[in-house]
Each structure stands twice: as C-alpha cells, then as structure tokens.
C-alpha cells in the first residue's frame, strides 16, 4: 500500500513537472509564441549603429507628427504599432531583420510618445522624466542580471531574456528622449548643440572599450542609450521651426525620409544578412541547429537540435 501511494505521488509529481514551462519560456507568452531556436537579436556591426540612429531619429519625428492627431488618435496609433511589432518579433524563432527593426522603430515612436506625455500632459519637468526613466532602466538591468546572470545580447536565445532585452530597449528610448529634450530645452543647448554634444559623448564608450579595456557589455549599453538623444536631437533640428532652433523641414517630411532610409537599410540587411550572429565554439551539427554563441552558459543554451522554423 505504501509503495502504491508512493508510486501515485511520484507519478503526480512527474505530471506537475511536465507542465512547467520550458527553460527560458514565459508563463503566458510561452503558450502563444514559439520558443527561440537561435539568437533573436543581430550581431553588432557598423550597420547596426547606423540603423539604430536612423530609427531613433525617425521615431522622434514620427511621434511628434502623430501628436497632431491628439492623444487618442496619435497615441492609439503608436500603441497599435507597438503591439504589432511585439507580435511580429515574438512570433519569430530567430533574428529576422524586418521583424526586429519594425519593433525597434515602433518602440522609438511609442517610447517617445510616452516620455512626451509625461512632460506635456502630466507636467513632469524634463529633469524629472530623465531621472524617472534612468531609475526604470536601472531596475530593468538589475532584474535582468539577477534572473539571467548576464546582460549580453549574445545570450538572447530564450523568451525570458528577449523580454528583458526589449524592456531595456523601451527604457533606453524613453530615457534618451527625456535626456535629449532636457539638454536642448532646459539647458538651452538647442537641438543642433545637443546633437553635437551626444555625438561626442558616444565616443566615450567606444574609446574606453578600445583603449582602456572597458567591459564590452557595459560599453555597448552605454552607447546604446546615447544613440537615442543623438538621433532624436538631429531629427528635431531638421524638423522643428527656426524659432525652436531647427531648420523647419517639418515633422511629417522628416519622418518619411528617415523611414525610407530605415526601410532601404533593413532590406539590405534582410537580403545580404551580414548581421546574423555566428555560433562559436560548438560542434558543427549543434551550431547549425541551435545557432547560439559560445559565451552563453552551457546550462542556459536553448536545446533546439533538429528543430526548424
């Protein structure tokens, strides 16, 4: 009788274990979206930074243009683009240029809109929104590192890490928007002056990594944050009226120009695929099926051997 009870207990325990989500899968999203089969973000090459700056500039101009539609029309459009981008990106099993950069552009638009809403409608000064988003970003980094033990983009091979990654991206866009407006408006540098300032600041992590041995992950995220006020400042300089320190090209035309530039660049990335992360340090059969970097801890590697899209 004891053995039978123990057998029933063990069987029920195995059933409960079998119902647990796979390693790295999120409780809700894991039931809707497929598990990643390879890295979900691009390799960091020069074109990555070009695309990133173009999306930040385009997102800034697009969000400013959508403000003319009001909080319901403009804000609703931004939210729809953001949700559509999430569905596209999380619906893929590995990095796809169009899905990735569509979501990045959507976050650039929506993050700008949220940050501007806090200033224009909630009336939080730019210094306050800058501090707020800095705290949010620090909290996301803390939660990500505590959960996964790394902040490396080369480890984004699970659904949970991808969620942390995009939460970080959203916070960086919102922070960069607030910071760029703070320097341009509150510090009276103007949009061009702010763009030049952040153009110099972004050289700091590059030089520190190259010559001083700065941690590559820290250098990456430092530069990533700065790309937002850098691109947004030049977009505002191009689009805004002369009495606002711009050249008055207009938000709509500026948004279209940058969107077209992003589309052309992303089409090139999708066709030529120079930014696919190359798996290192694994046997040939495993690298073809998994497609992850060797710097991902072995216990955390997603076992997708033999699986296809």
């Amino acid at each position: 009788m004891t053995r039978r009870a123990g057998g029933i207990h063990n069987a029920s325990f195995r059933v409960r274990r079998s119902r647990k989500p796979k390693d790295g899968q999120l409780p809700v999203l894991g039931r809707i979206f497929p598990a990643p089969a390879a890295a979900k973000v691009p390799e960091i090459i020069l074109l990555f930074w070009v695309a990133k700056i173009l999306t930040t500039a385009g997102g800034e101009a697009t969000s400013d243009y959508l403000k003319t539609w009001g909080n319901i029309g403009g804000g609703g459009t931004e939210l729809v683009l953001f949700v559509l981008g999430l569905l596209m990106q999380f619906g893929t099993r590995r990095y796809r240029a169009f899905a990735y950069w569509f979501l990045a552009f959507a976050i650039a638009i929506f993050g700008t809109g949220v940050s501007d809403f806090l200033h224009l409608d909630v009336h939080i000064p730019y210094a306050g929104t800058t501090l707020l988003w800095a705290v949010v970003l620090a909290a996301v980094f803390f939660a990500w590192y505590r959960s996964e033990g790394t902040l490396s983009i080369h480890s984004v091979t699970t659904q949970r890490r991808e969620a942390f990654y995009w939460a970080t991206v959203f916070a960086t866009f919102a922070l960069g928007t607030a910071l760029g407006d703070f320097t341009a408006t509150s510090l009276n540098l103007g949009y061009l002056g702010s763009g030049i300032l952040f153009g110099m600041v972004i050289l700091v992590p590059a030089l520190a990594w190259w010559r001083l041995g700065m941690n590559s992950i820290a250098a990456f995220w430092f530069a990533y944050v700065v790309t937002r006020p850098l691109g947004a400042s030049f977009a505002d300089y191009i689009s805004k009226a002369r009495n606002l320190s711009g050249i008055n090209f207009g938000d709509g035309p500026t948004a279209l120009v940058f969107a077209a530039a992003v589309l052309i660049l992303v089409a090139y990335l999708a066709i030529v695929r120079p930014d696919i992360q190359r798996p290192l340090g694994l046997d040939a059969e495993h690298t073809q099926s998994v497609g992850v970097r060797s710097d991902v801890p072995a216990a955390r590697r997603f076992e997708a051997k033999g699986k296809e899209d």
Side-chain angles (χ1 to χ4, degrees):
M1 184 69 179
T2 304
R3 287 183 179 179
R4 182 176 297 179
I8 294 174
H9 173 75
N10 290 335
S12 62
F13 177 71
R14 285 194 296 270
V15 170
R16 285 197 298 271
R17 288 192 61 185
S18 66
R19 291 177 181 174
K20 286 185 179 181
K22 295 179 180 179
D23 183 41
Q25 290 293 94
L26 297 175
V28 177
L29 292 181
R31 298 181 180 180
I32 303 174
F33 299 105
K40 294 292 298 290
V41 299
E43 185 60 271
I44 306 307
I45 60 176
L46 178 60
L47 289 180
F48 171 87
W49 295 110
V50 175
K52 176 62 169 63
I53 293 174
L54 289 176
T55 58
T56 63
E60 176 74 17
T62 303
S63 180
D64 287 348
Y65 174 74
L66 289 176
K67 285 186 183 66
T68 62
W69 296 9
N71 285 340
I72 302 299
T77 301
E78 293 179 359
L79 179 59
V80 168
L81 291 173
F82 174 61
V83 172
L84 180 59
L86 286 175
L87 294 175
M88 290 174 59
Q89 174 63 18
F90 278 88
T92 64
R93 300 196 65 199
R94 50 175 51 84
Y95 165 68
R96 302 296 187 197
F98 276 110
Y100 176 90
W101 288 109
F102 183 94
L103 179 54
F105 206 118
I107 290 178
I109 298 171
F110 188 50
T112 298
V114 172
S115 184
D116 286 345
F117 174 80
L118 292 177
H119 174 72
L120 298 175
D121 294 86
V122 185
H123 305 295
I124 301 175
Y126 286 129
T129 55
T130 300
L131 179 60
L132 170 64
W133 290 113
V135 171
V136 171
L137 178 60
V140 174
F141 274 141
F142 176 79
W144 183 359
Y145 189 80
R146 183 169 183 176
S147 172
E148 306 301 311
T150 179
L151 300 177
S152 172
I153 64 162
H154 295 120
S155 72
V156 184
T157 55
T158 69
Q159 203 174 76
R160 184 170 57 241
R161 291 183 178 184
E162 185 179 12
F164 278 121
Y165 174 83
W166 288 112
T168 303
V169 171
F170 186 94
T172 62
F173 272 105
L175 171 60
T177 298
L179 181 59
D181 288 335
F182 175 72
T183 58
T185 305
S186 301
L187 298 184
N188 297 316
L189 293 181
Y191 296 122
L192 180 59
S194 291
I196 294 173
L197 170 65
F198 291 112
M200 294 185 293
V201 171
I202 202 171
L203 297 177
V204 173
L207 293 174
W209 169 77
W210 179 42
R211 305 298 294 179
L212 302 177
M214 183 179 184
N215 179 272
S216 60
I217 297 175
F220 168 78
W221 286 115
F222 186 160
Y224 196 94
V225 172
V226 177
T227 58
R228 175 57 185 176
L230 172 62
S233 294
F234 280 110
D236 282 336
Y237 173 68
I238 294 170
S239 64
K240 300 307 179 188
R242 287 184 170 82
N243 64 339
L244 297 175
S245 78
I247 62 175
N248 200 31
F249 188 63
D251 292 327
T254 302
L256 289 175
V257 169
F258 279 109
V262 171
L263 179 60
I264 293 171
L265 179 54
V266 172
Y268 171 81
L269 294 174
I271 295 171
V272 181
R273 306 181 72 193
D275 57 343
I276 304 297
Q277 289 191 30
R278 304 301 184 207
L280 301 174
L282 301 174
D283 61 88
E285 182 183 3
H286 194 67
T287 56
Q288 290 176 1
S289 61
V290 180
V292 299
R293 290 286 296 259
S294 61
D295 57 353
V296 180
R300 293 289 187 177
R301 290 176 186 156
F302 178 75
E303 296 179 0
K305 194 171 183 178
K307 294 183 179 181
E308 298 178 355
D309 278 344

